[in-house]
Amino acid sequence: MEHIDQLKTLFMNKVSPPENEEENLSGLFSGLSYTKRITGFAICLSLGLLSCFVSSFFLITPRIFAKFYTLGCILLLASATFLVGPTQQIRTMFAPQRFFSAVIYIAAILGTLYCALWIRRTGLSLVMIFVQFGAALWYGASYIPFAQSVLKEVGNRGAQQICWSV
C-alpha cells in the first residue's frame, strides 16, 4: 500500500506557484515569477533535448559527440532547477537514496568534459560517454520507484546470458 501512495504522489505532483515565502525559490531564482520559471524550464529542457539529439549526428566523432551530449545533460539538470529552485534541487539530488547516483553522474559529466576538451583523447572520451550514459540512467532511475531494482535485475540477467554464451 505504501508503494501505491508513492506512485500516486510521483504522478500527481504538479508544479504550482509558491504559496508562501518559504516555498519561494532562493538566491538566483527568487525574482522570477511562476510564468518565468516555467518558461526557463521549457527553454532549458528544449535546448537540452535538442543538444542530445544533435549529438547523435556526431556518433562517429566521439569528442564532438561528448561535448553536445554533456551540454544536453547539464541543461536537462538545469531545467529542473527552474521548477524547484537551486536549494531544493541540491537537496533532492543529494538525498540519501540518490547521493551516490548524483555524485557518480556529476563526476561522469566532469570526466567527459575533461577527456573531450582538455586532454582531447577520443578513446577516453568514448569510455566516459558510456560511463556518463550509465550514470544518467542510474540517476534517473533513482527518481522512479523500483526502477533501480529493475535495472539491477536486467543487468544481472544480461551478465548471466553473456557468461553462459562464452
Short mmCIF file of all heavy atoms in Angstrom, two decimals, residues 40-99:
data_model
loop_
_atom_site.label_atom_id
_atom_site.label_comp_id
_atom_site.label_asym_id
_atom_site.label_seq_id
_atom_site.Cartn_x
_atom_site.Cartn_y
_atom_site.Cartn_z
N GLY A 40 11.62 29.23 -18.26
CA GLY A 40 13.01 28.82 -18.11
C GLY A 40 13.16 27.31 -18.16
O GLY A 40 14.08 26.78 -18.79
N PHE A 41 12.24 26.62 -17.49
CA PHE A 41 12.23 25.16 -17.52
C PHE A 41 12.07 24.66 -18.95
O PHE A 41 12.82 23.80 -19.42
CB PHE A 41 11.11 24.61 -16.63
CG PHE A 41 10.78 23.17 -16.89
CD1 PHE A 41 11.63 22.17 -16.45
CD2 PHE A 41 9.64 22.82 -17.58
CE1 PHE A 41 11.35 20.83 -16.70
CE2 PHE A 41 9.34 21.49 -17.82
CZ PHE A 41 10.19 20.50 -17.38
N ALA A 42 11.08 25.21 -19.66
CA ALA A 42 10.79 24.75 -21.02
C ALA A 42 11.97 25.03 -21.96
O ALA A 42 12.32 24.18 -22.79
CB ALA A 42 9.53 25.43 -21.55
N ILE A 43 12.60 26.18 -21.81
CA ILE A 43 13.74 26.52 -22.66
C ILE A 43 14.92 25.59 -22.38
O ILE A 43 15.53 25.04 -23.30
CB ILE A 43 14.13 28.01 -22.48
CG1 ILE A 43 13.05 28.91 -23.11
CG2 ILE A 43 15.50 28.29 -23.11
CD1 ILE A 43 13.21 30.38 -22.79
N CYS A 44 15.26 25.42 -21.09
CA CYS A 44 16.38 24.53 -20.75
C CYS A 44 16.10 23.10 -21.18
O CYS A 44 16.99 22.42 -21.71
CB CYS A 44 16.66 24.57 -19.25
SG CYS A 44 17.74 25.91 -18.77
N LEU A 45 14.88 22.64 -20.95
CA LEU A 45 14.51 21.29 -21.35
C LEU A 45 14.62 21.13 -22.86
O LEU A 45 15.22 20.16 -23.36
CB LEU A 45 13.09 20.97 -20.88
CG LEU A 45 12.58 19.57 -21.21
CD1 LEU A 45 13.33 18.54 -20.37
CD2 LEU A 45 11.09 19.48 -20.93
N SER A 46 14.09 22.08 -23.61
CA SER A 46 14.14 22.01 -25.08
C SER A 46 15.57 22.04 -25.60
O SER A 46 15.94 21.25 -26.47
CB SER A 46 13.35 23.17 -25.69
OG SER A 46 12.01 23.12 -25.29
N LEU A 47 16.38 22.97 -25.06
CA LEU A 47 17.77 23.06 -25.50
C LEU A 47 18.55 21.80 -25.11
O LEU A 47 19.42 21.34 -25.88
CB LEU A 47 18.44 24.31 -24.93
CG LEU A 47 17.97 25.64 -25.51
CD1 LEU A 47 18.61 26.81 -24.76
CD2 LEU A 47 18.27 25.72 -26.99
N GLY A 48 18.27 21.25 -23.94
CA GLY A 48 18.93 20.02 -23.51
C GLY A 48 18.59 18.85 -24.41
O GLY A 48 19.47 18.09 -24.84
N LEU A 49 17.31 18.70 -24.72
CA LEU A 49 16.89 17.63 -25.61
C LEU A 49 17.44 17.84 -27.02
O LEU A 49 17.89 16.89 -27.67
CB LEU A 49 15.37 17.52 -25.64
CG LEU A 49 14.71 17.05 -24.34
CD1 LEU A 49 13.19 17.16 -24.43
CD2 LEU A 49 15.13 15.63 -24.01
N LEU A 50 17.45 19.09 -27.48
CA LEU A 50 18.00 19.40 -28.80
C LEU A 50 19.49 19.08 -28.86
O LEU A 50 19.97 18.47 -29.82
CB LEU A 50 17.76 20.88 -29.15
CG LEU A 50 18.34 21.35 -30.49
CD1 LEU A 50 17.63 20.65 -31.65
CD2 LEU A 50 18.23 22.86 -30.60
N SER A 51 20.21 19.46 -27.82
CA SER A 51 21.65 19.18 -27.77
C SER A 51 21.92 17.68 -27.77
O SER A 51 22.83 17.20 -28.47
CB SER A 51 22.27 19.84 -26.54
OG SER A 51 23.64 19.63 -26.50
N CYS A 52 21.15 16.93 -27.01
CA CYS A 52 21.31 15.46 -27.00
C CYS A 52 20.98 14.88 -28.38
O CYS A 52 21.66 13.97 -28.86
CB CYS A 52 20.45 14.83 -25.92
SG CYS A 52 21.05 15.11 -24.25
N PHE A 53 19.94 15.43 -29.03
CA PHE A 53 19.57 14.96 -30.36
C PHE A 53 20.67 15.29 -31.37
O PHE A 53 21.07 14.44 -32.18
CB PHE A 53 18.24 15.60 -30.79
CG PHE A 53 17.84 15.28 -32.20
CD1 PHE A 53 17.39 14.00 -32.53
CD2 PHE A 53 17.93 16.24 -33.20
CE1 PHE A 53 17.04 13.70 -33.84
CE2 PHE A 53 17.58 15.94 -34.50
CZ PHE A 53 17.13 14.66 -34.82
N VAL A 54 21.17 16.52 -31.35
CA VAL A 54 22.22 16.94 -32.27
C VAL A 54 23.47 16.09 -32.06
O VAL A 54 24.18 15.76 -33.02
CB VAL A 54 22.53 18.45 -32.10
CG1 VAL A 54 23.81 18.84 -32.81
CG2 VAL A 54 21.37 19.28 -32.61
N SER A 55 23.74 15.71 -30.82
CA SER A 55 24.93 14.90 -30.55
C SER A 55 24.90 13.58 -31.32
O SER A 55 25.95 13.05 -31.69
CB SER A 55 25.07 14.63 -29.05
OG SER A 55 24.10 13.70 -28.60
N SER A 56 23.71 13.06 -31.59
CA SER A 56 23.61 11.78 -32.30
C SER A 56 24.16 11.87 -33.73
O SER A 56 24.54 10.86 -34.31
CB SER A 56 22.17 11.27 -32.31
OG SER A 56 21.35 12.15 -33.07
N PHE A 57 24.24 13.08 -34.30
CA PHE A 57 24.82 13.25 -35.63
C PHE A 57 26.34 13.14 -35.61
O PHE A 57 26.98 13.07 -36.66
CB PHE A 57 24.41 14.60 -36.24
CG PHE A 57 22.94 14.69 -36.53
CD1 PHE A 57 22.13 15.54 -35.81
CD2 PHE A 57 22.37 13.90 -37.52
CE1 PHE A 57 20.78 15.63 -36.08
CE2 PHE A 57 21.01 13.98 -37.80
CZ PHE A 57 20.21 14.85 -37.07
N PHE A 58 26.91 13.15 -34.42
CA PHE A 58 28.36 13.10 -34.29
C PHE A 58 28.84 11.80 -33.63
O PHE A 58 29.90 11.78 -33.02
CB PHE A 58 28.86 14.31 -33.48
CG PHE A 58 28.56 15.62 -34.12
CD1 PHE A 58 27.51 16.40 -33.68
CD2 PHE A 58 29.32 16.06 -35.20
CE1 PHE A 58 27.23 17.61 -34.28
CE2 PHE A 58 29.04 17.27 -35.81
CZ PHE A 58 27.99 18.05 -35.35
N LEU A 59 28.08 10.74 -33.77
CA LEU A 59 28.45 9.47 -33.16
C LEU A 59 29.80 8.95 -33.65
O LEU A 59 30.50 8.26 -32.90
CB LEU A 59 27.37 8.42 -33.42
CG LEU A 59 26.12 8.53 -32.54
CD1 LEU A 59 25.05 7.57 -33.03
CD2 LEU A 59 26.46 8.27 -31.10
N ILE A 60 30.16 9.28 -34.87
CA ILE A 60 31.44 8.77 -35.38
C ILE A 60 32.63 9.61 -34.92
O ILE A 60 33.78 9.22 -35.14
CB ILE A 60 31.42 8.66 -36.93
CG1 ILE A 60 31.11 10.01 -37.56
CG2 ILE A 60 30.45 7.60 -37.39
CD1 ILE A 60 31.26 10.04 -39.07
N THR A 61 32.38 10.74 -34.31
CA THR A 61 33.44 11.58 -33.74
C THR A 61 33.15 11.74 -32.24
O THR A 61 32.47 12.68 -31.84
CB THR A 61 33.52 12.95 -34.43
OG1 THR A 61 32.23 13.55 -34.40
CG2 THR A 61 34.01 12.83 -35.85
N PRO A 62 33.64 10.82 -31.43
CA PRO A 62 33.27 10.79 -30.01
C PRO A 62 33.52 12.07 -29.22
O PRO A 62 32.76 12.40 -28.33
CB PRO A 62 34.12 9.64 -29.45
CG PRO A 62 34.42 8.78 -30.61
CD PRO A 62 34.51 9.70 -31.78
N ARG A 63 34.58 12.82 -29.56
CA ARG A 63 34.85 14.03 -28.79
C ARG A 63 33.77 15.08 -29.02
O ARG A 63 33.32 15.73 -28.10
CB ARG A 63 36.23 14.58 -29.13
CG ARG A 63 37.33 13.77 -28.46
CD ARG A 63 38.73 14.31 -28.62
NE ARG A 63 38.84 15.74 -28.74
CZ ARG A 63 39.52 16.35 -29.70
NH1 ARG A 63 40.13 15.65 -30.64
NH2 ARG A 63 39.61 17.64 -29.73
N ILE A 64 33.35 15.26 -30.26
CA ILE A 64 32.28 16.23 -30.56
C ILE A 64 30.97 15.73 -29.98
O ILE A 64 30.20 16.50 -29.39
CB ILE A 64 32.17 16.47 -32.08
CG1 ILE A 64 33.46 17.10 -32.59
CG2 ILE A 64 30.98 17.38 -32.39
CD1 ILE A 64 33.54 17.22 -34.09
N PHE A 65 30.70 14.44 -30.13
CA PHE A 65 29.51 13.85 -29.53
C PHE A 65 29.48 14.12 -28.03
O PHE A 65 28.46 14.52 -27.47
CB PHE A 65 29.46 12.34 -29.79
CG PHE A 65 28.33 11.64 -29.08
CD1 PHE A 65 27.06 11.63 -29.62
CD2 PHE A 65 28.55 11.03 -27.86
CE1 PHE A 65 26.01 11.00 -28.96
CE2 PHE A 65 27.52 10.39 -27.20
CZ PHE A 65 26.25 10.38 -27.75
N ALA A 66 30.62 13.91 -27.37
CA ALA A 66 30.70 14.09 -25.91
C ALA A 66 30.36 15.52 -25.51
O ALA A 66 29.68 15.75 -24.51
CB ALA A 66 32.09 13.72 -25.42
N LYS A 67 30.82 16.48 -26.29
CA LYS A 67 30.55 17.88 -25.97
C LYS A 67 29.05 18.19 -26.03
O LYS A 67 28.49 18.76 -25.10
CB LYS A 67 31.31 18.80 -26.92
CG LYS A 67 32.82 18.72 -26.78
CD LYS A 67 33.50 19.49 -27.89
CE LYS A 67 34.99 19.19 -27.94
NZ LYS A 67 35.65 19.85 -29.08
N PHE A 68 28.41 17.81 -27.12
CA PHE A 68 26.98 18.09 -27.27
C PHE A 68 26.14 17.30 -26.27
O PHE A 68 25.19 17.82 -25.68
CB PHE A 68 26.51 17.80 -28.70
CG PHE A 68 26.83 18.89 -29.67
CD1 PHE A 68 27.88 18.77 -30.55
CD2 PHE A 68 26.07 20.05 -29.69
CE1 PHE A 68 28.18 19.78 -31.45
CE2 PHE A 68 26.35 21.06 -30.58
CZ PHE A 68 27.41 20.93 -31.46
N TYR A 69 26.48 16.03 -26.10
CA TYR A 69 25.71 15.17 -25.19
C TYR A 69 25.82 15.68 -23.75
O TYR A 69 24.83 15.76 -23.03
CB TYR A 69 26.19 13.73 -25.30
CG TYR A 69 25.44 12.78 -24.40
CD1 TYR A 69 24.12 12.43 -24.67
CD2 TYR A 69 26.04 12.24 -23.26
CE1 TYR A 69 23.43 11.57 -23.84
CE2 TYR A 69 25.36 11.38 -22.43
CZ TYR A 69 24.05 11.05 -22.73
OH TYR A 69 23.36 10.20 -21.90
N THR A 70 27.02 16.06 -23.35
CA THR A 70 27.23 16.54 -21.98
C THR A 70 26.54 17.87 -21.77
O THR A 70 25.93 18.10 -20.72
CB THR A 70 28.74 16.64 -21.68
OG1 THR A 70 29.32 15.36 -21.88
CG2 THR A 70 28.99 17.09 -20.26
N LEU A 71 26.60 18.76 -22.76
CA LEU A 71 25.87 20.03 -22.66
C LEU A 71 24.38 19.76 -22.49
O LEU A 71 23.71 20.40 -21.66
CB LEU A 71 26.11 20.89 -23.91
CG LEU A 71 25.30 22.18 -23.99
CD1 LEU A 71 25.69 23.13 -22.86
CD2 LEU A 71 25.49 22.84 -25.35
N GLY A 72 23.85 18.81 -23.24
CA GLY A 72 22.44 18.44 -23.11
C GLY A 72 22.10 17.95 -21.71
O GLY A 72 21.08 18.33 -21.13
N CYS A 73 22.97 17.12 -21.15
CA CYS A 73 22.74 16.60 -19.80
C CYS A 73 22.75 17.71 -18.76
O CYS A 73 21.93 17.73 -17.84
CB CYS A 73 23.78 15.54 -19.45
SG CYS A 73 23.59 14.02 -20.39
N ILE A 74 23.68 18.65 -18.91
CA ILE A 74 23.75 19.77 -17.97
C ILE A 74 22.49 20.63 -18.08
O ILE A 74 21.92 21.04 -17.07
CB ILE A 74 25.02 20.60 -18.23
CG1 ILE A 74 26.26 19.79 -17.84
CG2 ILE A 74 24.97 21.93 -17.47
CD1 ILE A 74 27.57 20.40 -18.29
N LEU A 75 22.04 20.89 -19.30
CA LEU A 75 20.82 21.68 -19.49
C LEU A 75 19.59 20.96 -18.94
O LEU A 75 18.68 21.60 -18.39
CB LEU A 75 20.63 22.02 -20.97
CG LEU A 75 21.58 23.08 -21.52
CD1 LEU A 75 21.49 23.15 -23.04
CD2 LEU A 75 21.28 24.44 -20.91
N LEU A 76 19.54 19.65 -19.07
CA LEU A 76 18.41 18.90 -18.52
C LEU A 76 18.39 18.99 -17.00
O LEU A 76 17.32 19.13 -16.39
CB LEU A 76 18.46 17.44 -18.98
CG LEU A 76 18.17 17.23 -20.47
CD1 LEU A 76 18.42 15.78 -20.86
CD2 LEU A 76 16.76 17.65 -20.82
N LEU A 77 19.56 18.91 -16.36
CA LEU A 77 19.62 19.10 -14.91
C LEU A 77 19.20 20.51 -14.53
O LEU A 77 18.48 20.72 -13.55
CB LEU A 77 21.02 18.82 -14.38
CG LEU A 77 21.41 17.37 -14.16
CD1 LEU A 77 22.88 17.28 -13.75
CD2 LEU A 77 20.53 16.72 -13.13
N ALA A 78 19.66 21.49 -15.31
CA ALA A 78 19.32 22.89 -15.02
C ALA A 78 17.82 23.15 -15.17
O ALA A 78 17.26 23.99 -14.45
CB ALA A 78 20.11 23.81 -15.94
N SER A 79 17.17 22.45 -16.07
CA SER A 79 15.74 22.68 -16.28
C SER A 79 14.94 22.39 -15.02
O SER A 79 14.03 23.15 -14.67
CB SER A 79 15.22 21.85 -17.46
OG SER A 79 15.21 20.48 -17.15
N ALA A 80 15.29 21.35 -14.32
CA ALA A 80 14.58 21.02 -13.08
C ALA A 80 14.82 22.08 -12.01
O ALA A 80 13.95 22.33 -11.16
CB ALA A 80 15.00 19.65 -12.57
N THR A 81 15.95 22.74 -12.07
CA THR A 81 16.27 23.78 -11.11
C THR A 81 15.30 24.94 -11.23
O THR A 81 14.94 25.57 -10.24
CB THR A 81 17.73 24.27 -11.29
OG1 THR A 81 18.59 23.13 -11.21
CG2 THR A 81 18.13 25.27 -10.25
N PHE A 82 14.84 25.23 -12.44
CA PHE A 82 13.85 26.29 -12.62
C PHE A 82 12.53 25.95 -11.92
O PHE A 82 11.83 26.83 -11.46
CB PHE A 82 13.58 26.55 -14.10
CG PHE A 82 14.58 27.48 -14.73
CD1 PHE A 82 15.63 26.97 -15.47
CD2 PHE A 82 14.47 28.85 -14.57
CE1 PHE A 82 16.55 27.81 -16.04
CE2 PHE A 82 15.39 29.70 -15.15
CZ PHE A 82 16.44 29.19 -15.89
N LEU A 83 12.18 24.67 -11.89
CA LEU A 83 10.91 24.29 -11.28
C LEU A 83 10.94 24.32 -9.75
O LEU A 83 10.02 24.83 -9.12
CB LEU A 83 10.51 22.88 -11.73
CG LEU A 83 10.13 22.71 -13.18
CD1 LEU A 83 9.77 21.28 -13.46
CD2 LEU A 83 8.97 23.63 -13.55
N VAL A 84 11.99 23.77 -9.17
CA VAL A 84 12.01 23.61 -7.72
C VAL A 84 12.97 24.55 -7.01
O VAL A 84 12.95 24.64 -5.79
CB VAL A 84 12.33 22.15 -7.32
CG1 VAL A 84 11.26 21.22 -7.83
CG2 VAL A 84 13.70 21.73 -7.81
N GLY A 85 13.83 25.22 -7.76
CA GLY A 85 14.82 26.11 -7.17
C GLY A 85 16.12 25.38 -6.89
O GLY A 85 16.14 24.17 -6.74
N PRO A 86 17.20 26.14 -6.83
CA PRO A 86 18.51 25.52 -6.67
C PRO A 86 18.68 24.78 -5.34
O PRO A 86 19.27 23.70 -5.29
CB PRO A 86 19.49 26.68 -6.79
CG PRO A 86 18.69 27.91 -6.67
CD PRO A 86 17.29 27.58 -7.00
N THR A 87 18.16 25.34 -4.28
CA THR A 87 18.32 24.71 -2.97
C THR A 87 17.61 23.36 -2.93
O THR A 87 18.19 22.35 -2.50
CB THR A 87 17.77 25.63 -1.85
OG1 THR A 87 18.41 26.89 -1.95
CG2 THR A 87 18.01 25.03 -0.49
N GLN A 88 16.37 23.33 -3.37
CA GLN A 88 15.61 22.07 -3.36
C GLN A 88 16.20 21.07 -4.35
O GLN A 88 16.22 19.87 -4.08
CB GLN A 88 14.13 22.33 -3.68
CG GLN A 88 13.26 21.11 -3.57
CD GLN A 88 13.27 20.49 -2.18
OE1 GLN A 88 13.34 21.21 -1.17
NE2 GLN A 88 13.22 19.19 -2.11
N GLN A 89 16.71 21.56 -5.48
CA GLN A 89 17.33 20.67 -6.46
C GLN A 89 18.55 19.98 -5.84
O GLN A 89 18.72 18.77 -5.98
CB GLN A 89 17.74 21.47 -7.71
CG GLN A 89 18.49 20.67 -8.74
CD GLN A 89 17.61 19.70 -9.52
OE1 GLN A 89 16.42 19.62 -9.33
NE2 GLN A 89 18.24 18.95 -10.39
N ILE A 90 19.37 20.74 -5.14
CA ILE A 90 20.56 20.16 -4.49
C ILE A 90 20.13 19.17 -3.41
O ILE A 90 20.68 18.07 -3.31
CB ILE A 90 21.44 21.28 -3.87
CG1 ILE A 90 21.95 22.22 -4.95
CG2 ILE A 90 22.58 20.70 -3.06
CD1 ILE A 90 23.05 21.70 -5.82
N ARG A 91 19.14 19.55 -2.60
CA ARG A 91 18.65 18.62 -1.56
C ARG A 91 18.13 17.33 -2.15
O ARG A 91 18.39 16.25 -1.63
CB ARG A 91 17.53 19.29 -0.75
CG ARG A 91 18.00 20.21 0.31
CD ARG A 91 16.83 20.65 1.19
NE ARG A 91 17.17 21.88 1.84
CZ ARG A 91 16.40 22.94 1.93
NH1 ARG A 91 15.18 22.91 1.43
NH2 ARG A 91 16.81 24.02 2.53
N THR A 92 17.37 17.45 -3.23
CA THR A 92 16.80 16.27 -3.88
C THR A 92 17.89 15.41 -4.50
O THR A 92 17.89 14.19 -4.37
CB THR A 92 15.79 16.70 -4.95
OG1 THR A 92 14.80 17.52 -4.34
CG2 THR A 92 15.11 15.50 -5.58
N MET A 93 18.82 16.05 -5.19
CA MET A 93 19.90 15.29 -5.84
C MET A 93 20.75 14.53 -4.83
O MET A 93 21.15 13.41 -5.10
CB MET A 93 20.81 16.24 -6.63
CG MET A 93 20.24 16.70 -7.94
SD MET A 93 21.36 17.80 -8.81
CE MET A 93 22.67 16.67 -9.27
N PHE A 94 21.00 15.17 -3.69
CA PHE A 94 21.90 14.57 -2.73
C PHE A 94 21.18 13.98 -1.52
O PHE A 94 21.77 13.81 -0.46
CB PHE A 94 22.97 15.59 -2.30
CG PHE A 94 23.87 15.95 -3.44
CD1 PHE A 94 23.75 17.16 -4.08
CD2 PHE A 94 24.83 15.05 -3.89
CE1 PHE A 94 24.56 17.49 -5.15
CE2 PHE A 94 25.65 15.36 -4.95
CZ PHE A 94 25.52 16.59 -5.59
N ALA A 95 19.91 13.64 -1.71
CA ALA A 95 19.16 12.91 -0.68
C ALA A 95 19.84 11.55 -0.50
O ALA A 95 20.46 11.03 -1.43
CB ALA A 95 17.71 12.74 -1.09
N PRO A 96 19.73 10.97 0.69
CA PRO A 96 20.45 9.71 0.97
C PRO A 96 20.21 8.61 -0.07
O PRO A 96 21.15 7.90 -0.44
CB PRO A 96 19.92 9.30 2.34
CG PRO A 96 19.49 10.57 2.98
CD PRO A 96 19.00 11.45 1.86
N GLN A 97 19.00 8.48 -0.59
CA GLN A 97 18.70 7.38 -1.52
C GLN A 97 19.33 7.58 -2.90
O GLN A 97 19.42 6.66 -3.68
CB GLN A 97 17.20 7.14 -1.64
CG GLN A 97 16.43 8.27 -2.29
CD GLN A 97 15.93 9.31 -1.32
OE1 GLN A 97 16.44 9.46 -0.22
NE2 GLN A 97 14.91 10.06 -1.72
N ARG A 98 19.76 8.81 -3.22
CA ARG A 98 20.37 9.02 -4.54
C ARG A 98 21.71 9.75 -4.47
O ARG A 98 22.22 10.22 -5.48
CB ARG A 98 19.40 9.70 -5.48
CG ARG A 98 19.01 11.09 -5.20
CD ARG A 98 18.01 11.62 -6.23
NE ARG A 98 16.80 10.89 -6.25
CZ ARG A 98 15.73 11.14 -5.50
NH1 ARG A 98 15.74 12.15 -4.68
NH2 ARG A 98 14.65 10.40 -5.59
N PHE A 99 22.30 9.83 -3.29
CA PHE A 99 23.57 10.54 -3.11
C PHE A 99 24.65 10.00 -4.04
O PHE A 99 25.28 10.74 -4.79
CB PHE A 99 24.03 10.47 -1.65
CG PHE A 99 25.36 11.12 -1.42
CD1 PHE A 99 25.44 12.49 -1.29
CD2 PHE A 99 26.52 10.37 -1.35
CE1 PHE A 99 26.67 13.11 -1.10
CE2 PHE A 99 27.75 10.97 -1.16
CZ PHE A 99 27.81 12.34 -1.03
#
